Amino acid sequence: MTEKKVYDSSQIKDAKKLADVLISVKGESRPVFALMVESMLIGAELAEKGIARTA
């Protein structure tokens, strides 16, 4: 069964800031920027879990 995630107010504020930044990027650049942000977040999550490896 999937656990329901609960977010605190600072996480909600950070998510709103990120959404505002994504919206501010115009035109054809938005998908590339969103992909870069998502990659960065995945890397941060992996590092937090200790899965990331050093080259």
Side-chain angles (χ1 to χ4, degrees), residues 39-50:
S39 297
M40 186 178 66
L41 292 172
I42 290 169
E45 183 178 356
L46 291 174
E48 184 177 79
K49 291 180 179 181

Side-chain angles (χ1 to χ4, degrees), residues 23-45:
I23 290 169
S24 73
V25 177
K26 303 295 181 205
E28 295 176 7
S29 299
R30 187 180 294 165
V32 174
F33 182 74
L35 182 61
M36 290 170 42
V37 170
E38 184 176 7
S39 297
M40 186 178 66
L41 292 172
I42 290 169
E45 183 178 356

Side-chain angles (χ1 to χ4, degrees), residues 16-25 33:
K16 185 182 180 329
K17 287 179 188 176
L18 178 58
D20 290 342
V21 170
L22 287 172
I23 290 169
S24 73
V25 177
F33 182 74

